[in-house]
Amino acid sequence: MANKSVSEVYNTQVELVESGYEGHFKTASLDTWIVPSEHNGGLETLQKAAKLLKNSDIPVAFPTETVYGLGADATRSSAVKGIYKAKGRPSDNPLIIHISDLNMLRDLLSSTGNHSQESIPVIYGPLIERFWPGPLTILLPNPPNSKLAPEVTAGLQTFGARMPSSPLALSLIKLAGVPIAAPSANASTKPSPTTANHVLHDLKGRIELILDGGACDVGVESTVVDGLCHPPVVLRPGGVSTELIRECKGWEDVKIGYQDAPQNGESKPRAPGMKYKHYSPKAKVVLVEGEADATEEDAETFYRRVTNQVASNDHGKANVGIVATRHWDTWGGWNKCGWARVETSRKPSDSTNGLSLHENVQEGSIQACTDNGENLDIARILSISLGPDTKSVAHGLFSALRDLDELNVDVIYVEGIREIEGEGDIAAAVMNRLRKAATVVKTR
Ligand code: TXA
Ligand code: MG
């Protein structure tokens, strides 16, 4: 029989691994992860998934504490190629290698399999001690005769390694017995998935198995650091803040090696489809940077955009999404301006494919008061409040963008957040993702 082609449809199964699935490290040194021997709500499912990872070339989706990953045996080229095939993207970006314990990592670093000498560069000692297992990826030298498939490193001399903190993920990797290459389990360019449903939405028919371990705790991907250069560099902001990394010995002078800063000035329209656009829902994203209450001026701007939308929209009324964080109230300032008001607030029920929506999504309609005293219905408004603290914003961000897409909004206004100094928060990671998703960035 011929190989299955990309268009071939698999019967995608979602299998639940009960929450509370546990395992433990043999000692505090993180050398060896121990998989629980008893069946406690998931072992059989994990064994089945591990077997697929070991033998099949179709990747398996699984939860980590950051986002869902699309995993494959990192030592087999055919398996790694399966990831790119399922995601529908070219293989030009190196993948992160997920390990269950330090012994698995040492195996990758030594060409001989001899662990008598510590092979993990000393610069990473303080980071591993403080942040592993957890949302941190470190770059390591890929040895000659590396066991890793060349597709994983995209031809680089280094590979990125991460020990996730999710016990489910650690046990899956351990049972597979091989390092697991895993990018986020979204279709190329879409927001990363933080629930099994998100993965199903994007990859249904393209893979066979999705392990469902509930919603991811952190909600944004791991921080990627390079300690092989001097001074060391943060390549991608993520679940561990630069502020906390800087507290570690040898990392005091860590530099920022990613670019996402907003340009100064007014609204900056960005052409859609440019190569840095990423994490993007279907709708246009307008990111409002700098924290402040939404004002009457914002409402005016919204109004102008909305009327433009209406003009170009065959359903005659714009659908506006709002993602509020620290200051905006639910309706993004509309209810505060003199000439418009928000009518009703209820939970929308019309998700297009029956997937569950964010608990906090509320629906209303915006009515403008015309000069002759009439109320004109100008837009449907769908609003999500993520709450004021950075953790809850990160946790709910990708989900909110996906939910608003499900509700077919034309445009999503997102209230940006600033880092709270001294808290080691991950606002930088949130804003990095939002700046990449945004079509327009408005700076105050
Ligand atoms: O939280 C995460 O890191 C998630 C979960 C699934 O673990 N994974 C993830 O993988 O976000 P991915 O493939 O979407 O992102 C990999 C990032 C990219 O920014 C890539 O450029 C960088 O890591 N990376 C990987 N290996 C690298 C290397 N050798 N040199 C430089 N950057 C590397
Ligand atoms: Mg990704």
Side-chain angles (χ1 to χ4, degrees):
M1 202 179 85
N3 282 343
K4 293 202 175 210
S5 69
V6 192
S7 56
E8 192 131 358
V9 172
Y10 297 110
N11 178 19
T12 309
Q13 302 288 323
V14 179
E15 295 202 17
L16 188 69
V17 179
E18 303 268 324
S19 63
Y21 185 88
E22 291 302 336
H24 63 275
F25 288 101
K26 198 166 168 187
T27 64
S29 65
L30 312 183
D31 287 341
T32 312
W33 176 258
I34 308 285
V35 179
S37 54
E38 283 169 34
H39 173 87
N40 62 351
L43 190 55
E44 279 172 18
T45 308
L46 287 184
Q47 280 165 336
K48 173 177 153 185
K51 211 167 148 193
L52 285 175
L53 284 171
K54 192 82 184 80
N55 302 314
S56 164
D57 291 341
I58 305 164
V60 173
F62 65 99
T64 78
E65 74 281 12
T66 56
V67 300
Y68 274 70
L70 187 62
D73 178 351
T75 67
R76 288 190 298 119
S77 286
S78 56
V80 177
K81 283 180 185 157
I83 293 177
Y84 295 109
K85 211 164 139 184
K87 282 193 63 142
R89 75 163 188 188
S91 53
D92 58 352
N93 212 358
L95 301 174
I96 292 172
I97 311 298
H98 297 67
I99 43 142
S100 58
D101 48 38
L102 292 182
N103 283 340
M104 189 181 262
L105 183 58
R106 290 184 187 113
D107 261 350
L108 283 178
L109 288 168
S110 80
S111 331
T112 58
N114 181 352
H115 292 183
S116 59
Q117 237 190 339
E118 180 54 270
S119 50
I120 303 170
V122 289
I123 180 84
Y124 291 121
L127 294 192
I128 290 174
E129 194 176 322
R130 182 150 177 198
F131 304 116
W132 271 10
L136 178 76
T137 296
I138 62 175
L139 289 202
L140 292 159
N142 199 21
N145 308 318
S146 171
K147 297 183 180 84
L148 294 173
E151 290 78 7
V152 165
T153 54
L156 297 173
Q157 306 290 304
T158 56
F159 68 91
R162 158 164 137 76
M163 188 192 288
S165 65
S166 151
L168 189 163
L170 291 172
S171 289
L172 175 68
I173 301 162
K174 184 74 179 197
L175 286 167
V178 286
I180 300 295
S184 46
N186 50 287
S188 195
T189 79
K190 291 290 156 205
S192 295
T194 56
T195 68
N197 262 343
H198 295 162
V199 182
L200 185 66
H201 178 273
D202 283 14
L203 299 183
K204 191 174 181 190
R206 291 175 163 263
I207 56 175
E208 287 184 326
L209 181 61
I210 300 168
L211 295 181
D212 182 353
C216 300
D217 187 30
V218 179
V220 292
E221 301 86 342
S222 62
T223 302
V224 181
V225 295
D226 182 357
L228 303 176
C229 53
H230 192 78
V233 179
V234 176
L235 295 177
R236 177 177 76 177
V240 173
S241 75
T242 303
E243 198 179 335
L244 293 185
I245 289 171
R246 203 164 267 139
E247 288 174 6
C248 295
K249 189 163 180 294
W251 292 81
E252 297 85 352
D253 299 325
V254 67
K255 296 277 172 288
I256 302 295
Y258 57 89
Q259 277 188 341
D260 67 1
Q263 279 116 19
N264 289 330
E266 284 292 287
S267 291
K268 292 278 176 209
R270 293 178 178 181
M274 288 190 67
K275 77 172 193 284
Y276 49 75
K277 199 163 147 90
H278 203 36
Y279 307 105
S280 295
K282 280 180 294 184
K284 260 198 222 169
V285 174
V286 178
L287 170 63
V288 182
E289 300 230 12
E291 287 179 14
D293 252 335
T295 59
E296 181 142 358
E297 188 198 316
D298 292 320
E300 289 271 2
T301 317
F302 289 5
Y303 178 67
R304 257 182 276 124
R305 284 190 206 288
V306 165
T307 37
N308 286 341
Q309 292 276 341
V310 174
S312 61
N313 191 330
D314 53 9
H315 44 85
K317 196 165 72 168
N319 287 306
V320 182
I322 305 260
V323 178
T325 59
R326 295 205 174 122
H327 300 279
W328 289 6
D329 65 37
T330 315
W331 306 114
W334 282 97
N335 49 342
K336 286 194 197 122
C337 71
W339 49 267
R341 67 193 180 101
V342 178
E343 182 83 346
T344 72
S345 105
R346 64 196 131 85
K347 204 166 156 65
S349 52
D350 56 346
S351 157
T352 46
N353 67 3
L355 298 180
S356 58
L357 291 168
H358 199 285
E359 287 162 21
N360 300 330
V361 52
Q362 286 187 285
E363 178 171 354
S365 63
I366 303 171
Q367 300 188 333
C369 315
T370 61
D371 291 343
N372 53 13
E374 269 175 73
N375 285 337
L376 195 65
D377 227 5
I378 55 167
R380 170 176 178 242
I381 188 163
L382 291 143
S383 184
I384 296 178
S385 294
L386 295 178
D389 63 295
T390 308
K391 260 188 147 177
S392 64
V393 175
H395 174 79
L397 178 70
F398 288 143
S399 211
L401 296 178
R402 281 175 174 270
D403 284 347
L404 292 172
D405 247 3
E406 279 301 300
L407 292 161
N408 290 317
V409 299
D410 304 301
V411 57
I412 304 173
Y413 291 90
V414 187
E415 178 195 358
I417 57 170
R418 282 208 186 105
E419 206 158 328
I420 304 175
E421 243 173 81
E423 301 239 320
D425 79 6
I426 57 168
V430 167
M431 293 307 288
N432 171 266
R433 306 309 187 264
L434 279 172
R435 286 172 190 142
K436 286 181 197 286
T439 320
V440 177
V441 179
K442 189 183 168 210
T443 315
R444 282 184 202 280

